[in-house]
Amino acid sequence: MPILFSFYLSWVLFCSLASPNSVNLPLKAASLGWNSSAVNINKAEKLWRINETFYNFRLSNKQFIGLENQGNKLVAVSATEKFPEAFQITRKNGEPHRVRFRASNGFFFQAKSEMQVTADYKGPSTWEENDPSVFNMTIVSTMHGEYQITNGYGPDKAAKLMRDHWKSYITEEDFKFMSQNGLNAVRIPVGWWIAYDPKPPKPFVGGSLQALDNAFRWAQKYGMKVIVDLHALRVSQNGSPHSGSRDGFQEWSDSDIQETVAIIDFLASRYADHPSLVAIELMNEPKAPDLKLDSLKTYYKAGYDTVRKYSSSAYVILSNRLGGEWSELLSFASNLSRVVIDVHFYNLFWDNFNKMSVQQNIDYIYRQRSSDLRNVTTSDGPLSFVGEWSCEWEAEGASKRDYQRFAEAQLDVYGRATFGWAYWAYKWFPAYPTVMHVNQIRGILPSRMMPGSGSFFRPSIPSTFLASGVLSKTALIRVQAMAQVGGMLMLQPEVGGSHDNFFFDGIEKVKQSEVLEAVIAGDTLVTRMTLVKLQKRFGIAKMEGKAYVGDDLVCEGEFLVATGTD
């Protein structure tokens, strides 16, 4: 059984078992992901990027920093972004964390004391430690959502980036593959801006609606059904990057109900008569306690009524609140027809999971998750749906068979949901392409891994390997190539986390071809690295490497690679 891992990037798909009039329950599903980036100066201030050098500063009380009466005193001037003060950030060459801030009065910030900063520094900077206009900027956290991607790249580059992504990330071949492998539906998360396509509000770019139309067409062709999930709401229902949040604040409230219902109206009117539509999910992962239950019920009733204007057969899915009571929507939903309660189960995002062994994780599924699911499953009320789950976890030293056991436990328990389940995610978007040319790798790897100005793969492995006769010179070059590709794998955030460097720690079980020892002009060396074991907490990985010339395996071995910081 294949184990699929999720990573967010822009357009997402999920799979489920269902059809609008005759549903085969329980559903079985998968998902596809979403991405972006925002920055904090410190824990109290967030940067809103306007362009490459100009930013707004927002405080934890949601007000923006500005100049009092256009003077030099910095104050919190507004709780709206309509007319916030824009500040220009200049960086020291070679030290981008050392910055200066220029205000609209033309002067720079300067620290008068530990408690007072004013915008009245006139002189040029020496960038020395005693310069009061120089600040050290530390990135505390970043966000990765579609807002940050499109805002960061700008309208021209972002439009091409997103178009290329929509064309290549999920294609007709994916629907064919899913259909042939037992998945009969997709759950597709969309953002609120889809209703304004092809000219959505900035910084979003047009094209997401066409991608959704394509998905419906492919689903129909391969006998699959579609759940449309309103995943991202204007001003965010949970503060997460995938919710469309700009800076991590959760701000959706009663005043946003009317617009959000209008988005549901747009989706329902467009797809209600499509034979592949099975359900519309009104909101993904509203978060308690800031999003009040009464407000959520008011919106859910209005959204439900809107779907029913166009379809009596489509299911309406109501997502439980994160941090709310499992059964808090049951009595409300029992008064509605063809309604589903959606819950999301991950053995992640809680410190206690970090301490669990493989078996403890599996036991947790059978004991706790089974109980949680029973709390939202009734014989005569709304259907239950495990709308997201994953085989990712924090268990150290887990083998392939451990992952399979973990998946089997979840399939066993979540298969009891009366509407079914959806796996997050069908596809995982790597930080780098899975196939790269040598020149692409050259631009990414740390310079210390690129020794010499001649041959790209000139060996930097100790010469004792040669002296001992363990490896020939040709095999050594191939080993070096495999090690570098393994390092590329370690630099991906899903594998190596936040580390920006890697170290080649060892190799064993090396085999080399004696027949293809000679290097012939025009030969193309292809290296393939497979991650077989990862201790993510310690940043250590074991990989199997193979190098090919044409169809011939010329070298292979087992590698130990670690992440770290120089």
Side-chain angles (χ1 to χ4, degrees), residues 17-18 23-28 315 330 339-343 373-374 376-387 412-421:
L17 280 169
V23 180
N24 299 316
L25 299 176
L27 310 183
K28 299 177 183 177
Y315 283 91
L330 280 182
V339 169
V340 178
I341 303 296
D342 178 12
V343 294
L373 184 57
R374 284 196 300 271
V376 295
T377 304
T378 62
S379 58
D380 56 357
L383 299 178
S384 58
F385 179 43
V386 182
D412 184 13
V413 172
Y414 305 159
R416 304 167 195 169
T418 50
F419 192 71
W421 51 257

Side-chain angles (χ1 to χ4, degrees), residues 4 98 101 115 137 147 199 309 312-313 362 415 496 498 566:
L4 307 173
R98 291 178 64 75
F101 304 102
M115 301 299 294
M137 181 171 69
Y147 186 100
K199 296 183 179 180
K309 285 195 310 180
S312 60
S313 60
I362 293 172
S498 61
D566 281 343

Side-chain angles (χ1 to χ4, degrees), residues 118-368:
T118 57
D120 56 0
Y121 190 87
K122 302 178 182 180
S125 175
T126 62
W127 294 103
E128 300 296 334
E129 291 294 335
N130 60 356
D131 186 334
S133 70
V134 176
F135 296 82
N136 287 324
M137 181 171 69
T138 301
I139 298 175
V140 176
S141 63
T142 61
M143 295 185 70
H144 302 275
E146 189 162 329
Y147 186 100
Q148 289 75 24
I149 280 185
T150 51
N151 190 45
Y153 277 97
D156 296 332
K157 291 182 179 179
K160 182 181 186 305
L161 179 78
M162 296 305 297
R163 283 196 302 268
D164 291 346
H165 170 66
W166 286 317
K167 288 178 183 178
S168 61
Y169 185 52
I170 296 297
T171 68
E172 182 177 337
E173 285 300 309
D174 290 295
F175 280 77
K176 181 180 179 180
F177 173 83
M178 288 185 284
S179 176
Q180 291 175 341
N181 287 275
L183 297 174
N184 69 344
V186 290
R187 177 178 179 254
I188 305 179
V190 299
W192 60 271
W193 54 92
I194 196 171
Y196 301 91
D197 205 88
K199 296 183 179 180
K202 294 180 179 179
F204 300 107
V205 298
S208 60
L209 186 59
Q210 182 60 57
L212 184 58
D213 286 345
N214 289 341
F216 268 93
R217 186 174 73 254
W218 297 330
Q220 183 178 5
K221 181 176 179 178
Y222 293 101
M224 299 181 72
K225 301 302 176 182
V226 175
I227 298 170
V228 179
D229 157 39
L230 184 53
H231 210 81
L233 279 61
R234 193 196 294 265
V235 301
S236 179
Q237 71 278 18
N238 56 37
S240 297
H242 56 73
S243 71
S245 176
R246 181 169 187 173
D247 59 11
F249 283 126
Q250 174 188 354
E251 300 182 89
W252 192 92
S253 65
D254 287 359
S255 62
D256 300 295
I257 290 177
Q258 183 176 352
E259 183 195 33
T260 311
V261 170
I263 307 301
I264 296 299
D265 189 283
F266 170 82
L267 295 169
S269 63
R270 187 177 185 89
Y271 298 111
D273 295 329
H274 197 288
S276 287
L277 179 72
V278 64
I280 294 177
E281 185 157 8
L282 301 181
M283 179 188 295
N284 177 72
E285 295 184 345
K287 188 176 180 181
D290 290 347
L291 202 159
K292 306 302 181 186
L293 183 59
D294 287 344
S295 298
L296 187 62
K297 289 180 179 178
T298 299
Y299 165 65
Y300 276 169
K301 182 59 168 66
Y304 170 86
D305 290 341
T306 299
V307 175
R308 288 289 168 258
K309 285 195 310 180
Y310 302 99
S311 173
S312 60
S313 60
Y315 283 91
V316 178
I317 300 179
L318 315 178
S319 178
N320 251 13
R321 291 190 303 167
L322 297 177
E325 297 294 329
W326 292 113
S327 60
E328 64 185 18
L329 291 173
L330 280 182
S331 60
F332 165 77
S334 295
N335 297 316
L336 309 175
S337 64
R338 296 180 77 82
V339 169
V340 178
I341 303 296
D342 178 12
V343 294
H344 296 172
F345 293 150
Y346 292 101
N347 279 28
L348 298 165
F349 318 123
W350 182 40
D351 288 343
N352 283 8
F353 287 130
N354 299 337
K355 307 170 187 175
M356 289 187 184
S357 66
V358 167
Q359 189 58 49
Q360 286 172 329
N361 273 276
I362 293 172
D363 291 343
Y364 189 90
I365 299 299
Y366 279 112
R367 295 170 184 170
Q368 188 60 50

Side-chain angles (χ1 to χ4, degrees), residues 110-123:
Q110 68 168 321
K112 294 287 185 66
S113 68
E114 290 186 4
M115 301 299 294
Q116 183 183 19
V117 176
T118 57
D120 56 0
Y121 190 87
K122 302 178 182 180

Side-chain angles (χ1 to χ4, degrees), residues 418-548:
T418 50
F419 192 71
W421 51 257
Y423 184 88
W424 187 280
Y426 163 72
K427 255 189 184 177
W428 159 99
F429 195 91
Y432 305 114
T434 55
V435 178
M436 301 184 72
H437 187 270
V438 64
N439 288 333
Q440 292 175 281
I441 298 174
R442 186 194 298 275
I444 295 170
L445 285 180
S447 59
R448 68 176 186 80
M449 291 300 296
M450 297 290 99
S453 57
S455 171
F456 180 73
F457 287 127
R458 198 177 83 185
S460 63
I461 297 175
S463 58
T464 51
F465 278 92
L466 287 173
S468 63
V470 174
L471 294 176
S472 69
K473 186 172 294 187
T474 300
L476 189 60
I477 292 173
R478 292 165 177 168
V479 167
Q480 177 75 4
M482 287 187 282
Q484 290 168 332
V485 174
M488 291 291 297
L489 181 58
M490 289 300 290
L491 288 177
Q492 297 188 52
E494 307 84 10
V495 180
S498 61
H499 294 290
D500 57 6
N501 216 335
F502 69 89
F503 302 90
F504 172 50
D505 284 350
I507 181 172
E508 58 184 3
K509 299 183 181 178
V510 178
K511 297 179 183 179
Q512 54 188 320
S513 169
E514 296 180 1
V515 177
L516 293 172
E517 177 63 21
V519 177
I520 301 173
D523 279 351
T524 298
L525 180 70
V526 175
T527 62
R528 178 176 296 165
M529 297 296 289
T530 303
L531 182 66
V532 295
K533 189 174 183 180
L534 174 66
Q535 292 185 343
K536 196 167 184 178
R537 181 178 298 181
F538 301 106
I540 300 174
K542 186 177 183 179
M543 301 181 189
E544 291 179 351
K546 294 185 178 182
Y548 298 84

